[in-house]
Amino acid sequence: MRRLAGSWIFLIIFLLIDIYVFQALRAVADTWAPRTRLIVFAVYWGISILSFALMLSITFTNYETWHKLLRTYAFAVVIGLFLAKLLASAFFLVDDVRRVVQWAGSFIFPNWNPKTAGTGTGITRSMFLSWAGLAVGGGLFTSLIYGFGNKYKYNLQKIAMSFSHLPNAFKGFKIIHVSDIHSGSFTDKEAVRKGIEKINEQQADVVLFTGDLVNYSADEMKEYMDVFSGLKAKHGVYATLGNHDYGFPTGATREEVKAKQLANAKGVVDVHKQLGWKTLSNEHVVLEKDGEQIAILGVDNTSAKANFPSFGKLPETHAAAKDIPFKILMSHDPSHWNAEVTSEFKDIALTLAGHTHGMQFGVEIPGFRWSPVKYVYKQWAGLYEEAQQKLYVNRGFGFIGYPGRVGILPEITLIELS
């Protein structure tokens, strides 16, 4: 009943925002030819009514039975429109608040006429804000549609990392770091296969995967087993578990939910095994080369955020590898780094994480990098350093929710140690 009430509240908000944005559209279209206004208004309400109908269908039908392509893109387009209109509404709200303040001010300062305030020979403030809101909202929606074409454009990031205590035999050692595959979101098998081929072309010494193989359940990998089983490296492929690998079960008690989470994770570990990957579930492996060694540690999902499951046991995992001076940690959630690694395990030279996807939306240009996810995660993409320790956050191989990428491309990371 609570979920149903929440759905109706969202739909009402959805409709009110449509009406609010239309008022601004009417204002800017006031000087247009009648035929042009009619066409624009008809298109606006046609799209709005279709979007509202889709939201009703998503909310009150068995959405999971829809064809995967329809399910993926219909939801993304509707939510994209909603976010675009919500962003545009922020500009209109600024103008409405400004006019209310002017109106109230006219009672305190009788000589101040709010009807003429801000007018002149140019565009009025109200018209400027209306145009700005429509332009920004339209720009956001256009960029989200454009981003649909970027979800399989795998970006190879080459990173050289230097460590003073790296054994000489491992200088030049090449690591492929991949994270957040989210196989349940894929709709183009050949595009994914090309991503795996790009990984294999690097001829890495080892491949390290830092979790979220699936969205919700292990059976999402069935169609892609032959693709990911082709992933190869000289010293093997190692994987850890991310928060999605536990699924999102419900239960009457916390213990029941935990049992279901662990059962789902076991299914993912079984898939790793079938692929020929070794799962490091609070375990470590020692890699040896020319008589020298490094340790790869892997912990189950560990998060400093309360809404994500934490099953990692770094103290036990670290203790088992204490005699190996150079350690690399695989931990899905980057919030784990400052929560435990940098404070208590200073001999872990490099931590590899993923989880954030860079929010699949942002700006990355030389000298400037931004994504809304930075307000949630201090470390959200790329390389971070504190004292002698390094953290690398992969932007994710796959996608979830929004079937696209804007400014933050899917990533394959090639790390060369020195």
Side-chain angles (χ1 to χ4, degrees):
M1 181 63 72
R2 184 179 299 173
R3 180 179 178 275
L4 186 64
S7 298
W8 276 114
I9 290 170
F10 176 77
L11 288 168
I12 290 169
I13 292 171
F14 194 95
L15 183 59
L16 289 174
I17 288 175
D18 267 339
I19 295 170
Y20 192 44
V21 172
F22 180 69
Q23 302 312 309
L25 182 60
R26 276 206 318 176
V28 301
D30 187 55
T31 58
W32 298 356
R35 181 179 175 82
T36 302
R37 280 204 310 272
L38 181 63
I39 292 171
V40 171
F41 293 170
V43 170
Y44 177 86
W45 280 114
I47 293 173
S48 295
I49 290 168
L50 179 60
S51 300
F52 191 78
L54 279 171
M55 282 305 302
L56 280 171
S57 298
I58 289 169
T59 305
F60 299 110
T61 67
N62 190 356
Y63 171 64
E64 294 301 320
T65 63
W66 293 16
H67 188 279
K68 189 174 183 179
L69 279 173
L70 176 62
R71 187 172 71 237
T72 299
Y73 289 100
F75 182 77
V77 169
V78 170
I79 294 301
L81 276 170
F82 175 76
L83 293 175
K85 290 176 181 179
L86 190 64
L87 181 60
S89 296
F91 287 81
F92 311 148
L93 185 61
V94 168
D95 182 47
D96 286 340
V97 169
R98 178 187 66 81
R99 284 189 285 151
V100 168
V101 170
Q102 286 183 338
W103 174 79
S106 67
F107 291 98
I108 303 172
F109 306 103
N111 294 328
W112 179 26
N113 185 354
K115 293 182 180 179
T116 59
T119 62
T121 57
I123 188 172
T124 65
R125 291 192 189 101
S126 291
M127 192 61 67
F128 172 77
L129 287 169
S130 294
W131 272 113
L134 292 171
V136 172
L140 173 62
F141 183 67
T142 301
S143 69
L144 291 174
I145 296 299
Y146 167 78
F148 288 168
N150 291 333
K151 57 183 173 290
Y152 299 114
K153 291 183 178 179
Y154 300 107
N155 182 32
L156 180 65
Q157 289 274 5
K158 296 183 178 181
I159 310 291
M161 294 189 188
S162 180
F163 298 92
S164 59
H165 63 302
L166 178 72
N168 287 329
F170 285 89
K171 294 186 183 298
F173 192 78
K174 293 194 296 183
I175 299 169
I176 283 286
H177 174 208
V178 185
S179 193
D180 299 88
I181 288 172
H182 289 288
S183 56
S185 298
F186 293 145
T187 55
D188 189 336
K189 191 171 184 178
E190 288 310 306
V192 176
R193 193 187 304 277
K194 288 179 181 178
I196 298 303
E197 289 172 354
K198 180 176 280 194
I199 292 174
N200 287 338
E201 286 169 4
Q202 310 313 311
Q203 298 183 335
D205 292 292
V206 69
V207 172
L208 303 180
F209 170 63
T210 50
D212 277 5
L213 182 69
V214 299
N215 293 346
Y216 306 108
S217 63
D219 60 7
E220 294 169 14
M221 271 296 292
K222 286 179 181 178
E223 187 181 346
Y224 291 87
M225 293 297 290
D226 61 320
V227 175
F228 286 94
S229 62
L231 198 56
K232 304 295 180 185
K234 298 172 187 175
H235 290 267
V237 180
Y238 297 91
T240 52
L241 297 171
N243 59 297
H244 277 263
D245 295 322
Y246 296 92
F248 297 87
T250 57
T253 65
R254 183 176 297 181
E255 290 71 23
E256 183 183 348
V257 170
K258 182 177 179 180
K260 290 180 178 178
Q261 287 176 321
L262 293 175
N264 202 75
K266 182 182 182 302
V268 173
V269 171
D270 289 342
V271 170
H272 288 169
K273 186 175 181 179
Q274 293 171 43
L275 292 171
W277 304 359
K278 167 66 177 174
T279 307
L280 297 181
S281 181
N282 299 318
E283 302 173 72
H284 80 284
V285 65
V286 175
L287 303 184
E288 189 166 332
K289 187 178 180 184
D290 300 335
E292 295 185 295
Q293 298 176 326
I294 64 172
I296 309 293
L297 286 63
V299 292
D300 292 342
N301 192 72
T302 306
S303 177
K305 308 292 182 180
N307 53 332
F308 292 115
S310 288
F311 293 101
K313 298 177 181 178
L314 184 54
E316 293 91 329
T317 307
H318 180 272
K322 64 181 180 181
D323 295 331
I324 311 297
F326 190 88
K327 301 178 183 69
I328 298 173
L329 172 66
M330 301 162 63
S331 181
H332 178 71
D333 190 321
S335 67
H336 182 208
W337 194 53
N338 281 150
E340 188 175 30
V341 180
T342 56
S343 58
E344 299 178 39
F345 301 96
K346 296 184 181 296
D347 64 339
I348 293 177
L350 171 63
T351 299
L352 301 178
H355 183 61
T356 71
H357 301 206
M359 205 173 172
Q360 299 170 212
F361 183 93
V363 178
E364 288 195 277
I365 57 177
F368 180 76
R369 186 174 65 181
W370 175 88
S371 169
V373 78
K374 71 173 289 184
Y375 304 114
V376 181
Y377 285 89
K378 181 181 178 182
Q379 296 92 12
W380 57 275
L383 181 64
Y384 302 86
E385 299 184 62
E386 287 189 16
Q388 302 303 309
Q389 294 179 282
K390 293 180 173 64
L391 165 70
Y392 192 87
V393 184
N394 182 282
R395 295 160 180 83
F397 184 88
F399 54 92
I400 189 171
Y402 166 56
R405 296 268 185 163
V406 178
I408 308 289
L409 293 176
E411 180 178 357
I412 297 165
T413 313
L414 175 61
I415 299 169
E416 185 169 337
L417 302 180
S418 64

